[in-house]
Amino acid sequence: MELTSIHLLDLEVVRAYVETANGAGELPATLQGGWRDRLREAAIAGRARATAGEEAGANALTYGLGQVLAAVQPTFFHPGLSLTAWEARIDRGVGMLMRPPARLFIDAGLDVAAARAMPIRLDLSRGMMGGAFIPARLVPDFEGLLESRLDRSVRRLVDAELDPVAVMGLMFEIAAEARRTGLGLYEAIDVVMPDQPDAMLPGTRVVVADRKRIEPALRKRIAVAAKPVKKPGLLARMLGRGARSGNGLASYPEGEQR
């Protein structure tokens, strides 16, 4: 699975990063020593290449932002878990809330020519890049989407052979923390590399899925939703593909055609 991560998106950090890429700012003070210098040089070089239309330069810019965000806020990590993957594999509805990174960078002062070379979503096959974001104002909508489509999302996690309790619980935790802090969400790939800890910025705080952190009532709801749909018995099938309800109408397993 891809080494994707979801980051809390602080617009002040974005502005500082873009100003640094433009050669006129400084990265957050939490970044120290050689890492700070390397990130600054990479941001300036990435901006120059992106301005020339190079996709690799634009990817370097979006990747660098993911690294900086990881150094100043908790990073949520589970292999294969990203906004892009959630939209593609679990719930396409989240795409209505996702915005391309170019908008984020332009609002922070990046030249339009450089931003134009940026991707719209993560390319899960390429690695080392940032992708889409959800603005802070839309985080409550994201949380509501997780709530309203919990059953369907859990079944799709099961189909994808992912642990539905751990992963769904982490998604709720991500949304709740973003709402609590008033921050948005930003996705990246290869910022968190568990087998290469030296490749991550010092101070990076990685939050992984953990069943024990999930609120008990939510954990129970997810576990119930993850159970296979009970098939109707022989008599129910003979009476019309579904069991009879108390009002005389046939009831069907959820999702079955009427």
Side-chain angles (χ1 to χ4, degrees):
M1 295 291 266
E2 307 91 0
L3 298 179
T4 46
S5 50
I6 298 178
H7 307 260
L8 296 173
L9 180 62
D10 186 333
L11 296 183
E12 291 299 321
V13 174
V14 178
R15 278 190 281 270
Y17 176 73
V18 172
E19 288 174 359
T20 299
N22 288 335
E26 293 294 336
L27 293 172
T30 49
L31 295 166
Q32 299 177 359
W35 272 107
R36 196 178 194 192
D37 294 338
R38 275 179 277 174
L39 282 171
R40 183 177 185 277
E41 292 172 3
I44 291 173
R47 180 194 58 79
R49 295 173 64 192
T51 302
E54 292 186 29
E55 183 181 350
N59 289 347
L61 266 180
T62 59
Y63 178 70
L65 176 59
Q67 290 181 295
V68 174
L69 291 171
V72 298
Q73 296 285 353
T75 296
F76 297 88
F77 172 78
H78 188 82
L81 184 62
S82 65
L83 301 176
T84 292
W86 196 263
E87 178 190 27
R89 301 167 182 168
I90 308 301
D91 183 1
R92 296 192 66 82
V94 74
M96 297 184 295
L97 309 176
M98 294 164 62
R99 304 292 184 265
R103 183 180 304 185
L104 181 67
F105 279 80
I106 291 171
D107 288 347
L110 186 70
D111 183 75
V112 174
R116 192 175 292 127
M118 290 180 174
I120 296 175
R121 302 281 193 267
L122 286 179
D123 184 336
L124 299 174
S125 66
R126 298 192 60 174
M128 298 190 73
M129 64 189 300
F133 72 101
I134 295 179
R137 63 182 176 82
L138 295 179
V139 165
D141 295 330
F142 175 56
E143 196 170 27
L145 197 67
L146 293 175
E147 176 68 35
S148 66
R149 301 187 180 184
L150 184 146
D151 288 2
R152 181 171 63 182
S153 296
V154 166
R155 288 195 294 272
R156 289 181 177 172
L157 286 168
V158 172
D159 292 341
E161 299 184 343
L162 294 170
D163 181 341
V165 177
V167 174
M168 199 74 203
L170 184 61
M171 288 297 281
F172 272 100
E173 186 174 358
I174 291 168
E177 184 64 14
R179 173 176 47 79
R180 185 188 70 80
T181 56
L183 302 177
L185 297 171
Y186 180 79
E187 62 177 358
I189 186 168
D190 287 345
V191 169
V192 175
M193 291 177 277
D195 59 339
Q196 299 180 51
D198 293 341
M200 297 190 297
L201 272 68
T204 298
R205 292 167 288 167
V206 180
V207 180
V208 299
D210 185 350
R211 287 168 169 255
K212 296 179 181 178
R213 280 202 316 274
I214 305 173
E215 194 270 329
L218 176 60
R219 184 169 63 239
K220 183 177 180 180
R221 286 180 59 205
I222 298 172
V224 169
K227 291 181 179 179
V229 176
K230 187 176 181 180
K231 296 181 179 180
L234 175 60
L235 179 59
R237 295 196 299 273
M238 291 175 62
L239 292 174
R241 299 175 58 210
R244 295 284 171 179
S245 65
N247 61 8
L249 298 176
S251 61
Y252 299 85
E254 187 176 349
E256 188 170 310
Q257 293 292 326
R258 271 68 171 172

